[in-house]
Amino acid sequence: MAAEAPLRFAVIGAGMSGILAAIKLQEAGLDDFTIYEKAERLGGTWRENTYPGIGCDVPSHLYSYSFAPNPEWSHRFSPGDEIQAYFEGVASRYGVEGRIRYGEEVSRCVFERGRWRLETKSGLRDEADVVIAATGVLHHPNLPGIAGLDRFEGALFHSARWDHGVRLDGRRVGIIGTGSTAVQIVSALVDRVAGLSLFQRTAQWIMPQENPVYSDAEKSGFRQHPEQMRQLHGDLSKLFAQGFSNAVVDAGSPQMQMIEDACRANLESSVRDPVLREKLRPSYRAACKRLIISPDFYQAIQKPNAQLVIEGIDRVEGGGVRTRDGRLHELDVLVLATGFRVDRFVRPMHVVGQRGQQLDERWSKRPDAYLSISVPGFPNFFMLNGPNGPVGNFSLIEVAELQMAYILQLVEQLRSGRCRMLSPREESTTRFEADREEAARRTVWSTGCRSWYLDDRGIPAVWPWTFDRFREEMARPKLEAWTLEG
Ligand code: NAP
């Protein structure tokens, strides 16, 4: 058996997962690493999304690293700038901020002679034994193929590229899309603008959820008794798993019915005008699309200056949006809250594995990975929040923590000298994918709606089992599913 080998790591991305990876590597005494970040600031999704009303609909005391509770959260569901500040604070407190190379986008990652050779856009080169790709999921804006977008004479931008130089107060604002993003924007803007037009292609189920503030006394209690926050994190995690995460994978479960009933009751009791109510009524099952959580969307869309447009967009013109009924909706600002291209993952980075295998080629139809962590033929290349993992109404922090603990156990095989290269077996990956696809067909995401969860064949590209099963699977790698070489 070889002697203990010092390992070098490259972490790609300084968002929630990349910061986590760095902290955990450091904690494990694996101190030789660099984090490459293409932007000039850490934070990932929370750096990029700054639209009005942005928040996280996972409770803040759950949407925190389990090892870094935060007594200062202002609300049960805190706003985006607080979350961004939280990640910046943790990265600096844990000493990983200084390990980030900002402005360096890794463009190539090639496995040669047993090591990964990385190159950034600016020409910087590095070598690493292990790559941890923490490049995010909801990252590449989806720009809709609507005719005439380039002819619009007002301000136009995607929700993840918010132009804060554009004045909104007192103006006519159009929003295309009715996902979680659009709903948060509508609630935040309606009282500021002269007119708000929401262009809805598909109605959404809305789960009501109050968002109370934490009082000074509560925050002081958290500061003095951090164990209260750990308890809360654990309780919320259990509640989420039992009440929601485990329900969505069983479309016929009583919990799923309860969620649907709550959404229906919200629609019936909150929307007074029967015509508007029918326009807002979805024709598919609740949680088939990513469930929207909002305390006040229905109230916002009923304001006199708000308009729900369901006629379908024909084209965008210089003065606004022309719908299929021939009407021109005149606008000063048009926001594309049209979501993300979710099948990109580590791409556009060019990744070449053993024997010259290209990740782009392997993923030409759709991305795959064993347990969403790693791809056969790409040794020592691990992903956090990679393809087909638990997404949607989960705490992605919890997901990444479990994945990182799993990856560290694999890394231990390298550190101990048991092997120098580790990648999942092709058979394990094929079997996992086949089982996953079969189970995915039984989930609520397969019950007849269009959503970003679905792949090009209409199969949900997500973890289709319970969160408890994910936790169990991540607890200990089954080494027989992996190839250990060298
Ligand atoms: P999304 O859920 O993908 O919604 C995109 C919206 O744009 C949909 O309503 C879609 O209509 C519409 N759209 C797309 N192309 C269109 C076209 N050509 N014409 C008309 N409408 C078009 O995107 P998102 O709202 O940005 O949310 C993405 C995900 O981010 C969420 O599902 C969630 O996981 C995450 N997120 C989370 C939070 C949070 O609080 N945790 C907040 C925001 C976002 P159809 O429905 O008809 O396809």
Side-chain angles (χ1 to χ4, degrees), residues 85-108:
Y86 168 76
F87 287 121
E88 287 176 341
V90 171
S92 129
R93 221 165 55 242
Y94 282 78
V96 298
E97 216 278 334
R99 312 290 295 272
I100 304 172
R101 293 291 309 257
Y102 287 108
E104 295 291 356
E105 176 172 350
V106 179
S107 51
R108 283 175 66 78

Side-chain angles (χ1 to χ4, degrees), residues 46-181:
W46 302 103
R47 174 196 66 229
E48 304 221 334
N49 287 277
T50 58
Y51 58 79
I54 181 165
C56 184
D57 59 15
V58 174
S60 298
H61 280 282
L62 178 59
Y63 196 79
S64 311
Y65 297 121
S66 60
F67 53 86
N70 174 23
E72 312 304 334
W73 289 126
S74 65
H75 290 71
R76 182 184 290 163
F77 304 96
S78 298
D81 55 352
E82 259 184 62
I83 302 172
Q84 171 69 18
Y86 168 76
F87 287 121
E88 287 176 341
V90 171
S92 129
R93 221 165 55 242
Y94 282 78
V96 298
E97 216 278 334
R99 312 290 295 272
I100 304 172
R101 293 291 309 257
Y102 287 108
E104 295 291 356
E105 176 172 350
V106 179
S107 51
R108 283 175 66 78
C109 201
V110 180
F111 193 73
E112 268 172 8
R113 296 183 302 281
R115 290 197 106 193
W116 285 101
R117 284 153 224 272
L118 288 80
E119 195 178 325
T120 68
K121 265 193 172 165
S122 74
L124 189 89
R125 287 164 195 261
D126 194 0
E127 283 186 22
D129 300 292
V130 180
V131 171
I132 298 181
T135 47
V137 187
L138 299 158
H139 183 52
H140 301 281
N142 170 45
L143 300 176
I146 298 171
L149 280 176
D150 54 337
R151 291 205 205 107
F152 186 59
E153 284 157 12
L156 180 143
F157 42 84
H158 187 271
S159 55
R161 300 282 181 273
W162 198 273
D163 185 345
H164 290 277
V166 172
R167 185 170 62 81
L168 300 166
D169 297 275
R171 304 185 82 190
R172 298 162 303 177
V173 177
I175 299 161
I176 301 181
T178 50
S180 305
T181 300

Side-chain angles (χ1 to χ4, degrees), residues 162-209:
W162 198 273
D163 185 345
H164 290 277
V166 172
R167 185 170 62 81
L168 300 166
D169 297 275
R171 304 185 82 190
R172 298 162 303 177
V173 177
I175 299 161
I176 301 181
T178 50
S180 305
T181 300
V183 162
Q184 290 181 340
I185 296 172
V186 167
S187 297
L189 283 194
V190 73
D191 289 332
R192 290 177 54 187
V193 299
L196 185 148
S197 305
L198 179 63
F199 296 91
Q200 169 182 291
R201 187 165 70 177
T202 311
Q204 289 273 11
W205 287 111
I206 313 278
M207 183 80 169
Q209 187 66 258

Side-chain angles (χ1 to χ4, degrees), residues 11 13 15-31 33 35 42 65-68 86-97 99-100 132 384 397 401 404 408:
V11 177
M16 173 278 287
S17 305
I19 297 164
L20 167 79
I23 292 172
K24 291 293 164 185
L25 286 174
Q26 212 165 246
E27 207 176 276
L30 299 162
D31 219 22
F33 66 83
I35 312 168
L42 59 80
Y65 297 121
S66 60
F67 53 86
Y86 168 76
F87 287 121
E88 287 176 341
V90 171
S92 129
R93 221 165 55 242
Y94 282 78
V96 298
E97 216 278 334
R99 312 290 295 272
I100 304 172
I132 298 181
L384 292 171
I397 299 189
E401 284 194 18
M404 192 58 201
L408 283 175

Side-chain angles (χ1 to χ4, degrees), residues 62 233-244 398 471:
L62 178 59
H233 186 280
D235 292 348
L236 287 167
S237 167
K238 241 183 258 158
L239 202 77
F240 239 66
Q242 285 161 8
F244 191 81
E398 215 178 352
R471 206 188 289 281

Side-chain angles (χ1 to χ4, degrees), residues 205-209 239-251 253-267 285-293 393 444:
W205 287 111
I206 313 278
M207 183 80 169
Q209 187 66 258
L239 202 77
F240 239 66
Q242 285 161 8
F244 191 81
S245 318
N246 292 354
V248 284
V249 296
D250 180 1
S253 65
Q255 291 100 318
M256 205 55 254
Q257 194 54 51
M258 275 165 65
I259 291 170
E260 188 149 333
D261 291 347
C263 292
R264 185 167 292 108
N266 186 30
L267 175 67
R285 297 205 41 196
C288 181
K289 288 162 96 71
R290 204 269 193 186
L291 196 64
I292 310 269
I293 294 170
N393 299 98
V444 75

